[in-house]
Amino acid sequence: MVFNFISDYLQHRLTSKSRHGTHSPFVYKLTDEVIYDFNVKSDYKSIEAQRKKLLNDDSLIKVTDLGAGSHLNKNRTKKVRQIAKNALKSPRLAQLIYRLAKENQPNHILELGTCLGLTTAYLSKACPEADIITIEGCPETAKVAYKNFVDLELENVELRVGNFDTLLPDLIAQADQLDFVYIDGNHRKDATLNYFNWCLPKVHEGSLLIFDDIYWSEGMKEAWEEIKRHPEVTVTIDLFWIGLVYFKKGQAKEHFKIKF
């Protein structure tokens, strides 16, 4: 599995383009002004200080994994610092998600897979006026995330604990529309496609769906290809670590691989 992942990464590096290799004005602008904006933002400081605390936290918690699990550690009892090291999104990727949210300026954000809550914190800082619902399947991980929300004084985040398959359909049914959805959990083909299909009735021209770990496994790669083919999808951007899905009406269907 690790060999395949490395092979996919090298292949992606060889076939992906920078902003100068894109012929779409929308994708060029997004790449130039958002994806490749590596300037440090003031919002990053407090979240990265919280990350340092987590990386030094020797507390033990019992992990309930309802998804495809971890490539790195299959033990159910883990130290918080192990989870912080192996499961949290890197600052580079979490800050990209911050910039994508800030660019999109959604009113409503839905996140599947809270983990320890740092990516949620980036979303909250990017869009302080947005309503954010984040779902975590592991109760003890959720407790750590909630503490981080309190420490970071996040006031627009609602944390729900439970199985995505149980909670998500009701959340979508209650939503007027889905503006920004970040899916980072249960890395299985069928589950990923279910989440995508459940979201479809509530997406609109300004919606952005982000799928994490699209090269996690053969199943995830197959799910990503199926999502790209869907007739309602107009633009996708494959950044290897995540995939961006847009529904812009009147735009020719195009798929991009961008180096990140």
Side-chain angles (χ1 to χ4, degrees):
M1 185 175 288
V2 174
F3 174 80
N4 290 340
F5 186 79
I6 294 170
S7 176
D8 286 335
Y9 176 74
L10 294 175
Q11 181 66 19
H12 190 277
R13 295 295 294 181
L14 289 171
T15 57
S16 57
K17 302 179 184 298
S18 69
R19 59 184 174 272
H20 300 296
T22 64
H23 302 294
S24 162
F26 165 69
V27 176
Y28 181 94
K29 185 175 186 291
L30 185 74
T31 305
D32 186 50
E33 298 180 4
V34 179
I35 295 173
Y36 287 171
D37 176 12
F38 297 115
N39 296 314
V40 176
K41 318 294 183 189
S42 58
D43 284 336
Y44 298 171
K45 185 176 180 181
S46 60
I47 300 173
E48 289 309 312
Q50 198 71 15
R51 185 191 299 269
K52 288 182 180 178
K53 293 179 184 177
L54 294 169
L55 287 168
N56 288 289
D57 189 339
D58 284 321
S59 302
L60 287 169
I61 65 172
K62 188 170 289 186
V63 176
T64 305
D65 192 342
L66 302 178
S70 168
H71 286 334
L72 298 173
N73 190 339
K74 299 294 185 180
N75 295 327
R76 287 194 65 203
T77 301
K78 300 180 182 180
K79 291 183 177 180
V80 170
R81 64 178 175 85
Q82 290 176 302
I83 299 170
K85 179 182 177 183
N86 296 329
L88 284 179
K89 291 291 163 278
S90 68
R92 192 167 183 264
L93 190 54
Q95 288 160 13
L96 169 60
I97 292 168
Y98 165 97
R99 296 193 300 274
L100 289 166
K102 198 169 186 69
E103 170 70 13
N104 190 270
Q105 280 302 301
N107 293 316
H108 304 284
I109 297 174
L110 176 60
E111 178 187 40
L112 303 187
T114 316
C115 193
L116 301 179
L118 291 199
T119 303
T120 321
Y122 271 111
L123 290 169
S124 176
K125 295 288 187 181
C127 305
E129 302 302 317
D131 296 321
I132 300 174
I133 296 178
T134 182
I135 306 175
E136 173 55 41
C138 172
E140 293 200 23
T141 304
K143 288 178 184 177
V144 178
Y146 181 78
K147 182 179 183 304
N148 289 327
F149 298 159
V150 172
D151 290 349
L152 292 166
E153 300 181 341
L154 307 182
E155 298 181 352
N156 61 333
V157 176
E158 179 184 347
L159 174 60
R160 300 197 184 186
V161 181
N163 192 310
F164 299 169
D165 293 350
T166 302
L167 297 179
L168 185 57
D170 286 342
L171 282 174
I172 293 172
Q174 294 165 18
D176 293 329
Q177 62 182 29
L178 296 175
D179 301 326
F180 189 103
V181 182
Y182 176 45
I183 298 173
D184 179 19
N186 195 350
H187 297 356
R188 295 189 176 101
K189 177 182 177 179
D190 290 346
T192 300
L193 290 174
N194 282 341
Y195 305 151
F196 170 72
N197 287 314
W198 291 345
C199 288
L200 280 179
K202 297 297 179 72
V203 301
H204 55 89
E205 188 170 1
S207 297
L208 170 58
L209 270 55
I210 303 178
F211 291 87
D212 197 83
D213 289 324
I214 55 176
Y215 288 89
W216 175 271
S217 63
E218 289 303 313
M220 285 299 293
K221 288 189 285 184
E222 290 169 5
W224 175 243
E225 290 301 319
E226 192 164 328
I227 288 167
K228 287 165 59 179
R229 289 193 298 268
H230 194 280
E232 289 192 40
V233 171
T234 55
V235 176
T236 67
I237 302 175
D238 174 352
L239 296 165
F240 186 79
W241 309 105
I242 60 175
L244 313 182
V245 179
Y246 292 91
F247 304 86
K248 296 188 171 296
K249 298 186 188 309
Q251 184 153 335
K253 193 177 187 73
E254 291 186 276
H255 308 296
F256 299 86
K257 284 186 178 182
I258 301 294
K259 286 185 173 68
F260 181 72

